[in-house]
Every structure is written in C-alpha cells, then in structure tokens.
Amino acid sequence: MRLAKLALVAAALPLAVLTRWDAPARERPPEHRTPSTAAARPAAARPDVVSRAAWGADEKLVRERAPYVTRVSAVFVHHTSHPDAYDCADTPRIMRALQQQHVHRMGWDDVGYNYVVDRCGTVYAGRVDHAGRPLRGAHATGFNARSVGIAALGDFREGARVPRAMLASIAAVAAWQLRPGADPHGRVRLVSTNSDSRYPKGAAALLHTISGHRDGFETACPGEALYAKLPRLRDDVARRRW
C-alpha cells in the first residue's frame, strides 16, 4: 500500500510544476499535455505562418515555457499600437522589438500574442511552439487559458483604414484555431482568473467567441477602426469553417 501511494505521488509531481499564467488550477494539467490528433484537428485549413526562426525570435529571452492551449474556445483580437503606415518588409524587425518590449518592459515570459498579422496580410508566429500550436498567452488578462490572441500590427484609431489583406488573414487564423463546433457568431462562457480584468476572479463572463481585447479588459484595444470590423470578421471566419 505504501509503495502504491508513493507511485501516485511520483506520477503527480510533473503536474505540480505550474507557470505564472492566470488560468484556474483545474485547467492546468490538461494544458501541459500535447493534444491528440483528434483533439487537435482543425475546423479550417492552416494558413501560411512565418515561423519564429524566420523572423528572428530570440529564444534566449523566453523565461519560461507556457503550457499548451488545448481547447481554443475564444479568439481575442488586439492591436499592437504601432503606426499604421509601416513597410511590411520591416515586420520581422518590428517583431523582434515587440518581443524585447514584452519581455523587458511588460515583464512577460515571451511575446504575449499567439499570432501577429501585418498590413500586407502576412501572419507571424508569436507565442507558439515549433509546430505552430498555441501556448497560453499573456494577451487577455483573466482569459488566457482557453483563448488565442491575434494582434494586428498597427494602431487603427477611429477613421483609420483596416487593410482587407490583414482582415482576411486574421479570419484565416481564427477559423483555423477555434475548436471544432465553435460558433464564430456565438458567445462563450469563460470564468475570469484575474480581477484585473473587467470581471472579478471567479466570475463568469459571456463573451463573443471572437472578441476585441476591450471586451474582457479596460482598454481601447484593438482600436476603434478595427473593433468596428469585428462583425465582418465573424462572418468571414464562419465562411472559412468546414
């Protein structure tokens, strides 16, 4: 009997290595497991994604590997607050600077967003593993455990133009990442894990499956112009799903 108890304790030890991310403890063990083929099967085709190696991510900056998001029930759309009129050839450089900012200024373990899309519609891998599977981000305080963050590179204040190529690529990533059966026009019940969000820790929030960052946190993100495009974005995501 004593040996059996010791075996159980030894088996549980890997699950006790917790990260600093703000998910409920009950959700953490599954997040550390690699998704099975069936569970990971997407409901839409995978778009082209520029790998971290290709844009020059500094893997030495990564302080701690985050757990996997195994069930993407929601997508949060963000902006990065960069000037809108950049040259897309400069995006890899901007991505490297963004990683530095998120680690050194924000205090995060890596890039906070799972994916970043530039004005030309190119998708860049942010907080993902080498195969492109999302790791729990730092993009949506209180709601990171079951969501993916897609950031549009730019500011998008009221009256700004949101490029069609950018919107199309955001839709492609959202359609690919959302779990099978998720309704892009629907809502999802998420439980807040951090009182710094719009909802106290432990409170249930009914959010759009595809939400703007401001829906869960007190912020202007993703900018007035991009936020106004979310209904169109939901339509596009729905069209791309199997």
Side-chain angles (χ1 to χ4, degrees):
M1 179 66 71
R2 183 176 180 183
L3 290 176
K5 288 183 179 179
L6 288 173
L8 288 173
V9 171
L13 281 176
L15 300 181
V17 183
L18 302 179
T19 65
R20 292 197 294 272
W21 308 110
D22 55 1
R26 64 178 180 276
E27 294 183 340
R28 281 172 174 157
E31 302 275 19
H32 281 274
R33 300 169 188 163
T34 301
S36 67
T37 302
R41 185 171 56 207
R46 174 179 175 165
D48 292 333
V49 179
V50 177
S51 70
R52 288 171 60 91
W55 62 257
D58 185 351
E59 301 301 345
K60 293 180 181 178
L61 283 179
V62 181
R63 297 173 176 172
E64 185 175 1
R65 181 184 170 88
Y68 284 106
V69 179
T70 56
R71 183 178 177 85
V72 180
S73 298
V75 169
F76 284 94
V77 178
H78 301 261
H79 69 177
T80 64
S81 298
H82 288 84
D84 295 331
Y86 52 86
D87 188 327
C88 291
D90 289 334
T91 303
R93 176 186 59 77
I94 297 172
M95 288 293 297
R96 292 191 292 272
L98 189 69
Q99 185 188 26
Q100 292 274 348
Q101 177 189 24
H102 283 189
V103 172
H104 294 307
R105 186 181 304 175
M106 305 299 293
W108 298 338
D109 287 353
D110 194 6
V111 178
Y113 313 120
N114 298 105
Y115 300 92
V116 177
V117 180
D118 73 11
R119 62 195 299 268
C120 295
T122 304
V123 181
Y124 289 81
R127 190 184 291 248
V128 300
D129 72 3
H130 66 280
R133 293 170 299 185
L135 304 174
R136 192 181 302 167
H139 60 92
T141 300
F143 303 107
N144 287 315
R146 291 173 53 198
S147 71
V148 156
I150 307 173
L153 192 58
D155 199 26
F156 311 109
R157 296 185 182 184
E158 187 171 3
R161 175 180 172 271
V162 182
R164 289 184 180 181
M166 170 179 275
L167 282 174
S169 290
I170 293 173
V173 175
W176 165 50
Q177 285 293 310
L178 278 172
R179 64 174 178 79
D183 179 5
H185 290 112
R187 292 178 181 267
V188 61
R189 181 182 180 275
L190 299 176
V191 176
S192 173
T193 62
N194 193 320
S195 293
D196 288 339
S197 73
R198 285 187 182 272
Y199 299 85
K201 182 178 180 179
L206 191 62
L207 300 171
H208 289 285
T209 301
I210 300 175
S211 288
H213 186 196
R214 66 176 66 178
D215 295 327
F217 189 75
E218 189 66 42
T219 177
C221 182
E224 293 298 327
L226 182 53
Y227 191 78
K229 297 292 185 182
L230 292 189
R232 182 186 300 181
L233 183 65
R234 295 178 189 117
D235 291 343
D236 194 1
V237 173
R239 284 193 294 268
R240 293 170 183 269
R241 304 275 283 177
W242 298 139

